[in-house]
Amino acid sequence: MRKKRIGVLGCAHILDRALFTPLKSLEHLGVHAIASRTKSKAESYADKYGIPHAFGSYEELLACEEIDFVYIALSNELHAEWAIRALQAGKPVLVEKPVCLNTEELRRLMDVQAASGLPVLEGLMVQHHPWQSEIKRMVGGNAYGRLLQVRSQISVPFQDPERQNYRSFPERGGGAFYDFGCYWLQFLQAVLGLEPSGCDAESDFAGPGGCDWTFRASLEYADGVRTELVASFELPAISRHTLEFERAVVTVDDFFRASMGTYRIAIRIQDKQTGAVEKLAFEPQNYFVNQLAFFSDVLDGTTSNMPIVQSYERMALHERLLTLARAKLPGYPLASGQQPT
């Protein structure tokens, strides 16, 4: 099998754990080139990680005929533009989340993707692990009776005293909900679908530049299931889904752990009547290894890609929830007689 050659746009900090380290476990993939707007920065990464080619512009990398697919690790507001340009250059795309900032951008990307016929994958690495399939099986099969509610908390204390990170700028997709809400919506989409009968959201948007430093959202489903999210850059570090069924409470705790390396993820099941606890543990895995292997299989035609319309469904609901939260702020500009939906 010929090694697939990856072209990387951007020199983001996440590349070490999202790409370079995982590639040590994937002999059929390798980074062929990296590009930055500053060539010296690209050359620094190339020297550090043994990358054959370094470019001082993204355009040069996209023109490289030897590249099999592009990994986009740019700031959020650049994802749509460079995903589109990569497709137009004939390159499949794996792009860090969120794939776009809004549905308007995503519609443009979807049009170009459809015309090119090339795959695009949004880098939501958690979806490439069997714990989600197991939770879906529990819900769909009423393993512990009817599902009553789902509570999720995703929080990572933000550490950037200079506030130069894109997360501090609303126009660049900053804030906790852009960072973490996509994981919540992807999980619900996989387990329950994304057709709620009602929804609500709130934040004081008191972070840098008016970003949401803590964001709370909820969805109500027609069958009575209620789902809740707390996403935060200021609360203690936690990544947890808790599902309450009629007869048991099921918890997936520390589910971000497998994004930091090769770790074991476990599902905890507590019987509500007896208090007995059962644990369903999976073999140690790395989300990013799984994601890269999945996309490689997509390119080989041995597995089907995640439909990009799923990203659109998530983004549409993301926009709706952000609008609801912002509409609660004093002086929010709604047209005369308009009500948030």
Side-chain angles (χ1 to χ4, degrees):
M1 181 186 296
R2 180 180 69 82
K3 180 176 284 193
K4 294 185 182 70
R5 295 160 296 194
I6 305 169
V8 181
L9 295 185
C11 296
H13 293 303
I14 196 175
L15 285 174
D16 187 61
R17 64 185 175 93
L19 187 63
F20 299 132
T21 297
L23 284 176
K24 296 175 183 177
S25 303
L26 298 165
E27 295 182 354
H28 62 294
L29 300 176
V31 176
H32 185 70
I34 188 166
S36 172
R37 288 300 193 195
T38 306
K39 188 170 184 179
S40 60
K41 189 171 185 179
E43 289 174 337
S44 174
Y45 268 66
D47 290 342
K48 181 177 180 180
Y49 294 104
I51 301 169
H53 302 282
F55 296 112
S57 76
Y58 306 144
E59 292 88 347
E60 286 181 89
L61 185 143
L62 295 183
C64 179
E65 295 181 358
E66 299 172 335
I67 288 171
D68 294 303
F69 74 89
V70 172
Y71 188 109
I72 298 178
L74 301 171
S75 184
N76 290 347
E77 78 280 7
L78 300 176
H79 288 180
E81 175 188 355
W82 289 100
I84 288 171
R85 295 179 70 164
L87 292 171
Q88 291 171 336
K91 307 289 195 293
V93 174
L94 171 54
V95 56
E96 275 296 326
K97 58 80 187 169
V99 61
C100 295
L101 290 184
N102 52 60
T103 52
E104 181 180 352
E105 286 187 349
L106 191 44
R107 278 193 294 268
R108 292 200 299 270
L109 174 58
M110 291 171 70
D111 288 343
V112 175
Q113 188 275 328
S116 71
L118 297 170
V120 174
L121 178 65
E122 182 176 11
L124 286 164
M125 72 291 177
V126 295
Q127 64 189 333
H128 305 288
H129 192 288
W131 70 258
Q132 287 202 356
S133 298
E134 182 60 26
I135 293 292
K136 183 176 182 179
R137 183 196 65 79
M138 292 177 183
V139 173
N142 292 319
Y144 306 105
R146 187 170 63 86
L147 180 64
L148 304 176
Q149 63 175 339
V150 183
R151 299 184 304 278
S152 303
Q153 182 171 339
I154 308 172
S155 52
V156 178
F158 188 70
Q159 298 177 4
D160 181 18
E162 301 300 321
R163 294 188 173 179
Q164 295 303 305
N165 190 291
Y166 68 85
R167 293 175 176 86
S168 295
F169 299 88
E171 67 277 11
R172 299 175 66 188
F177 192 52
Y178 262 114
D179 227 35
F180 303 137
C182 51
Y183 294 113
W184 178 60
L185 293 173
Q186 183 278 321
F187 170 64
L188 295 180
Q189 185 179 49
V191 174
L192 297 173
L194 283 185
E195 296 181 356
S197 57
C199 59
D200 196 10
E202 63 180 27
S203 175
D204 57 12
F205 294 95
C211 285
D212 56 296
W213 239 225
T214 295
F215 193 94
R216 301 175 190 275
S218 63
L219 304 179
E220 303 277 356
Y221 286 79
D223 58 2
V225 177
R226 176 179 174 83
T227 68
E228 299 175 351
L229 169 72
V230 177
S232 181
F233 284 150
E234 53 195 346
L235 296 174
I238 190 171
S239 56
R240 177 185 298 147
H241 296 301
T242 303
L243 299 91
E244 183 181 351
F245 293 83
E246 289 178 307
R247 299 195 302 272
V249 176
V250 174
T251 305
V252 188
D253 204 4
D254 200 13
F255 64 80
F256 267 176
R257 183 169 174 78
S259 67
M260 306 303 295
T262 302
Y263 293 108
R264 188 185 305 274
I265 300 292
I267 298 174
R268 183 179 186 271
I269 305 156
Q270 183 171 24
D271 188 286
K272 290 170 75 172
Q273 183 174 2
T274 67
V277 173
E278 172 190 356
K279 282 195 175 182
L280 175 60
F282 299 89
E283 289 300 313
Q285 298 179 42
N286 181 310
Y287 287 145
F288 292 112
V289 170
N290 292 359
Q291 177 172 267
L292 288 163
F294 172 83
F295 197 56
S296 178
D297 289 345
V298 169
L299 298 183
D300 288 338
T302 58
T303 193
S304 297
N305 196 18
M306 300 289 184
I308 196 169
V309 68
Q310 292 184 356
S311 292
Y312 188 88
E313 290 172 358
R314 293 191 295 268
M315 182 52 66
L317 189 49
H318 178 105
E319 284 185 331
R320 183 179 176 188
L321 289 164
L322 269 179
T323 298
L324 283 168
R326 288 174 176 152
K328 295 178 180 179
L329 296 176
Y332 182 80
L334 286 177
S336 178
Q338 181 181 352
Q339 295 297 320
T341 60

